[in-house]
Amino acid sequence: MAKIIVVTSGKGGVGKTTTSAAIGTGLALRGHKTAILDFDVGLRNLDLVMGCERRVVYDFVNVINGEASLKQALIKDKRTENLFILPASQTRDKEALTVEGVGKILDELANDFDFIVCDSPAGIEKGALMALYFADEAVVVTNPEVSSVRDSDRILGILHSKSQRAEQGREPVREHLLLTRYDPQRVNIGEMLSVADVEDILAIPLLGVIPESEAVLKASNQGQPVILDGQAKAGQAYMDAVARLLGEKVEHRFLEAKKKGFFSRVMGVR
């Protein structure tokens, strides 16, 4: 039976789709058959990040409406074995997502996959609520700034009250904190919240800290999950996060500012 993981946040632009692509790819690289589902109906982006936008024929809503089978709509990733993508519709309304329709798709996927990663839209509109409703685990993505953390706290409240597990009185959704766009130097001068600050506010286990990196934008523009860039700190941090998600104990990296050498300090090199 598949484990359903929702990647969610209260604020837009924090890196949910980048994270969904990275975590889904990382799980597949570790040998787990994985599907990534785009719940952002009307604003489809997962296919761009995954580099499969030209291969989209049918989408999530087509399957819900019975216009295509799940097998027809799923796109097999060309780079990573065991990885499949179900794109969202760009032309339909979010009301097309129903509990019955989404539940049926997830049940069908659960028979054949180890992990289902749900890429949620931002906020608390219907697509976001539908993405988290069936979750077994949640990766709450936030930037180290007050407004982003506050909005993530609201999402945690919704997970506690409006998920299927909450409605049925089952074991709660397992929550993980993923801190993105982290810059230790800006933390040191008070321009950004520290990891400890965010942990104190949200009070959920830290899954990973993704450093600010140009490699993320470069990878997205190339249609390639950044986790495939083993030289980039962001790619390494996502790989560490996937290992922790699978229950491994991996020390957190990239939390401290890099110390300048003697000549760098003397010459004023940044």
Side-chain angles (χ1 to χ4, degrees):
M1 200 66 179
K3 182 172 288 185
I4 300 172
I5 301 171
V6 63
V7 178
T8 183
S9 78
K11 189 175 175 65
V14 298
K16 286 183 304 301
T17 299
T18 295
T19 297
S20 297
I23 287 178
T25 301
L27 290 169
L29 287 170
R30 297 293 296 269
H32 302 283
K33 191 172 183 182
T34 304
I36 314 175
L37 279 57
D38 190 347
F39 276 79
D40 201 354
V41 175
L43 293 171
R44 185 171 81 201
N45 281 313
L46 178 64
D47 56 312
L48 291 172
V49 175
M50 295 299 299
C52 62
E53 69 277 7
R54 295 183 180 179
R55 299 170 59 204
V56 176
V57 178
Y58 297 108
D59 57 51
F60 204 152
V61 176
N62 290 139
V63 180
I64 287 177
N65 291 341
E67 298 159 353
S69 68
L70 187 56
K71 187 175 181 180
Q72 288 175 310
L74 281 172
I75 300 171
K76 189 178 188 304
D77 190 77
K78 289 184 175 181
R79 292 170 298 246
T80 308
E81 191 69 24
N82 296 319
L83 184 60
F84 294 78
I85 299 96
L86 181 60
S89 171
Q90 281 186 307
T91 58
R92 307 295 181 96
D93 187 88
K94 290 178 173 60
E95 297 303 313
L97 297 179
T98 63
V99 171
E100 295 77 15
V102 173
K104 184 177 179 182
I105 289 175
L106 292 176
D107 285 344
E108 189 173 344
L109 287 169
N111 293 324
D112 197 33
F113 286 81
D114 301 314
F115 288 96
I116 300 168
V117 178
C118 301
D119 181 24
S120 170
I124 54 174
E125 45 87 359
K126 186 169 184 178
L129 295 176
M130 202 63 64
L132 66 79
Y133 182 74
F134 294 96
D136 298 311
E137 302 195 27
V139 176
V140 180
V141 183
T142 187
N143 292 156
E145 58 174 37
V146 172
S147 62
S148 180
V149 175
R150 181 186 62 185
D151 290 347
S152 292
D153 192 42
R154 190 174 183 194
I155 290 296
L156 291 174
I158 292 171
L159 283 166
H160 296 161
S161 62
K162 294 190 177 182
S163 66
Q164 187 182 59
R165 284 175 170 265
E167 287 184 359
Q168 297 176 352
R170 294 158 57 200
E171 184 179 340
V173 175
R174 189 179 174 203
E175 298 157 345
H176 309 273
L177 169 63
L178 189 82
L179 196 54
T180 55
R181 305 194 68 176
Y182 194 73
D183 185 340
Q185 290 184 330
R186 293 183 64 190
V187 171
N188 290 344
I189 59 176
E191 290 183 355
M192 190 174 276
L193 296 176
S194 68
V195 173
D197 291 334
V198 179
E199 288 183 297
D200 285 345
I201 296 168
L202 297 181
I204 58 175
L206 181 65
L207 180 69
V209 177
I210 312 301
E212 180 74 86
S213 172
E214 292 180 1
V216 174
L217 179 60
K218 180 181 177 182
S220 295
N221 287 337
Q222 293 177 340
Q224 176 173 296
V226 71
I227 198 170
L228 294 177
D229 185 353
Q231 300 302 310
K233 290 182 178 179
Q236 295 169 26
Y238 272 119
M239 193 63 81
D240 289 350
V242 169
R244 295 187 196 100
L245 197 60
L246 292 172
E248 298 174 21
K249 291 186 177 181
V250 180
E251 187 175 347
H252 289 279
R253 298 188 277 172
F254 317 119
L255 305 186
E256 304 294 333
K258 185 178 179 181
K259 293 182 179 179
K260 294 180 181 179
F262 174 76
F263 287 106
S264 293
R265 294 197 302 272
V266 171
M267 301 299 291
V269 177
R270 294 187 177 183

